[in-house]
Amino acid sequence: MALTGLHYAGALLVFLLITVVGLYSGKKVKSADDFNYGGRRSGTGLVVGAIVGTIVGGSCTIGTSQLAFHYGLSAWWFTLGCCLGSLVLLFFFCESLYKNDYTTLAQIIAREYGEKAGIAATILNSVGSFLSVVAQILSGIALITAVSHFNSFIAMFIVVALIFVYVVFGGIWGAGYVGIAKTILLYTAITVCGVLALYLQGGFRAFTAALPPQRYFNLFARGVAVDGGAGLSLILGILTTQVYLQVIMMSRTLRIAKNGILISAIIIPLSSIGGILVGYYMKLNYPDIIPAMALPLFILEKMPPLFAGIILATMLVTVVGTGAGMSLGISAMISTDVYKVYINKEANDRQELFVNRFSIVLILIIAAALASVNTGSLIMGWSLLSMGLRGAGAFGPICAALFLPGKIPPVYVLASMILATALVLLGKFFLPPNVDPLFLGTAGNVLTLGIGLLAGRRINRGK
């Protein structure tokens, strides 16, 4: 189906809105602290916008429909895991992180276990976050190529350019303000899509009658090990992603941070329901399509042109927002934990701001190169691996630093991060498909920290 003038008009309305909001947020950036942490003066709305705007991206929309096309309800685990992770962050970590005034996750580890452990955390966490950026670029490529005659290379260039514009000027302010606008547009759009899919198919009973229930209406359709591992990887991934710490630190008060996280946890799972219903519909009516195209093609085929243009542009902004948030988190770690520690300890705001923005450009170039040779791969797979790498390597050391200070020798913490990351990567290639490598990585991490805890007790008794 060819795009019409009304399609482009709808898309233009969204891009104009996002541009205005983005330019407004950019005016608030006067320093590196403004760029990374919003000057620590944000309200609940901005906190929700930044969290939902970052979490709910291509994996929650395009990726969810793609996975629902294959496995149905188990595609819900991405947002369910994000919800559970947000609740754990709220009840067990938020207050400690806010009151201790940490600015990066690596800083939590470095203060307790030294610079070597801190730089290892920075590198390993950045790699995990980087894979999420790749996932968003792949989502954007799938979306653009589905609705236009652009090839994958041009689509990739468009997505990367939009991510750059989204975050490079406004930083965390941009993530917050644009996130609010994006959330309103997205939830309206995905709800309409879900309702329309139900209507066209003749109600939910039509889905249950036509699709095998064990596969399409089972949260553990891929097996408890795989889907349970996906949920666990998302919980740990949320707790070990830099941008969510930045969101806590951008809050004006602790109560604002907690309220923002709670509201986000409640609404995040709702973003996937419409995408799952669309995945069902497209499986029944367009079984031969490329699964990643399920949601974009549904919008293009079934929506009035003007509204379709608005929704498609919203989908693209959704992808851009998550990629921008992840890129922002990586750049904050590079500028705070690498540049100001090892390269220029006396860096002023102007220099640090330049490093932030330059880092984002470099991240996007490398991510685009990797995405260009992996088009067609499972988007959700990249996101889950990203969460798993961050969670398996950093969750244990962060908990140890916050709740067991002085109990574990630094060498064991460093070893636990390296071992966990290696085990996740090895498990990805050598474990059976029905076993999530996160379990292996987490087990290695916990075991090493446990040995370190016993060693620390012996050392303390010897003193």
Side-chain angles (χ1 to χ4, degrees):
M1 180 177 178
L3 296 180
T4 67
L6 286 176
H7 286 100
Y8 288 113
L12 183 61
L13 289 174
V14 174
F15 290 138
L16 286 175
L17 172 63
I18 297 302
T19 300
V20 170
V21 175
L23 290 174
Y24 173 76
S25 66
K27 292 181 179 180
K28 292 184 171 291
V29 176
K30 308 297 182 184
S31 66
D33 189 64
D34 285 337
F35 189 87
N36 288 323
Y37 312 106
R40 306 170 199 251
R41 58 182 188 273
S42 303
T44 302
L46 286 177
V47 173
V48 173
I51 294 175
V52 177
T54 299
I55 291 178
V56 181
S59 297
C60 297
T61 51
I62 298 169
T64 291
S65 288
Q66 178 190 25
L67 193 58
F69 188 96
H70 287 295
Y71 295 105
L73 196 59
S74 67
W76 205 8
W77 270 113
F78 191 91
T79 51
L80 287 177
C82 290
C83 167
L84 294 173
S86 298
L87 291 175
V88 174
L89 178 65
L90 169 63
F91 291 114
F92 296 100
F93 292 90
C94 182
E95 185 169 350
S96 178
L97 293 172
Y98 189 88
K99 289 184 176 179
N100 282 284
D101 199 32
Y102 294 113
T103 55
T104 68
L105 293 169
Q107 192 179 80
I108 300 171
I109 296 173
R111 286 185 186 178
E112 179 66 24
Y113 301 113
E115 287 188 356
K116 288 183 180 179
I119 193 65
T122 298
I123 294 170
L124 298 176
N125 198 277
S126 295
V127 170
S129 298
F130 173 79
L131 295 181
S132 185
V133 178
V134 176
Q136 303 316 308
I137 294 175
L138 289 171
S139 295
I141 291 172
L143 175 58
I144 293 174
T145 54
V147 301
S148 71
H149 297 294
F150 293 133
N151 60 34
S152 296
F153 179 80
I154 296 175
M156 177 190 67
F157 178 81
I158 292 171
V159 175
V160 170
L162 287 172
I163 294 175
F164 174 82
V165 172
Y166 187 117
V167 76
V168 80
F169 298 112
I172 197 72
W173 282 109
Y177 278 112
V178 179
I180 292 172
K182 186 187 96 168
T183 298
I184 294 171
L185 289 170
L186 173 66
Y187 277 72
T188 302
I190 205 69
T191 299
V192 171
C193 286
V195 171
L196 182 60
L198 280 173
Y199 172 77
L200 292 174
Q201 193 63 35
F204 192 74
R205 287 187 178 180
F207 288 135
T208 58
L211 293 168
Q214 186 59 32
R215 177 162 182 164
Y216 282 92
F217 301 96
N218 178 8
L219 273 174
F220 298 96
R222 295 180 295 170
V224 174
V226 174
D227 287 320
L232 179 60
S233 70
L234 290 158
I235 293 170
L236 299 186
I238 290 293
L239 300 173
T240 52
T241 299
Q242 169 61 28
V243 71
Y244 305 130
L245 174 57
Q246 289 173 255
V247 169
I248 291 174
M249 298 313 299
M250 76 185 287
S251 304
R252 190 164 57 247
T253 66
L254 176 60
R255 179 176 291 276
I256 285 174
K258 288 184 173 182
N259 288 342
I261 295 171
L262 178 60
I263 293 171
S264 300
I266 293 171
I267 67 175
I268 285 169
L270 303 179
S271 66
S272 291
I273 296 175
I276 292 171
L277 293 173
V278 169
Y280 288 157
Y281 178 85
M282 298 302 280
K283 179 66 178 179
L284 291 175
N285 296 279
Y286 298 82
D288 298 323
I289 65 168
I290 298 172
M293 304 295 189
L295 183 58
L297 287 178
F298 178 86
I299 295 168
L300 194 59
E301 293 280 345
K302 304 301 178 182
M303 295 287 180
L306 181 64
F307 194 65
I310 292 173
I311 297 177
L312 289 171
T314 300
M315 294 291 110
L316 186 55
V317 171
T318 295
V319 169
V320 166
T322 299
M326 290 298 172
S327 301
L328 178 64
I330 300 171
S331 74
M333 288 187 286
I334 292 173
S335 65
T336 303
D337 299 321
V338 179
Y339 179 70
K340 290 188 70 176
V341 174
Y342 297 99
I343 300 174
N344 186 0
K345 294 183 179 181
E346 305 299 326
N348 57 35
D349 270 336
R350 184 176 180 181
Q351 292 170 321
E352 190 178 351
L353 194 56
F354 172 80
V355 170
N356 271 295
R357 287 171 169 159
F358 178 78
S359 298
I360 291 173
V361 174
L362 189 61
I363 291 161
L364 293 178
I365 291 173
I366 299 172
L370 187 57
S372 67
V373 295
N374 285 280
T375 55
S377 59
L378 190 65
I379 296 165
M380 194 70 79
W382 285 88
S383 295
L384 293 175
L385 179 59
S386 166
M387 291 285 194
L389 284 174
R390 297 197 303 270
F395 178 70
I398 289 173
C399 289
L402 292 174
F403 305 118
L404 295 170
K407 303 292 185 182
I408 302 176
V411 65
Y412 291 93
V413 174
L414 180 60
S416 75
M417 289 189 288
I418 296 172
L419 177 63
T421 304
L423 289 174
V424 169
L425 291 174
L426 289 172
K428 184 70 176 176
F429 295 102
F430 296 110
L431 285 176
N434 63 340
V435 179
D436 194 304
L438 173 69
F439 292 119
L440 183 62
T442 303
N445 185 274
V446 172
L447 179 61
T448 306
L449 291 174
I451 294 171
L453 184 61
L454 293 176
R457 288 176 178 175
R458 286 197 298 269
I459 292 171
N460 290 331
R461 281 199 300 267
K463 292 179 180 179

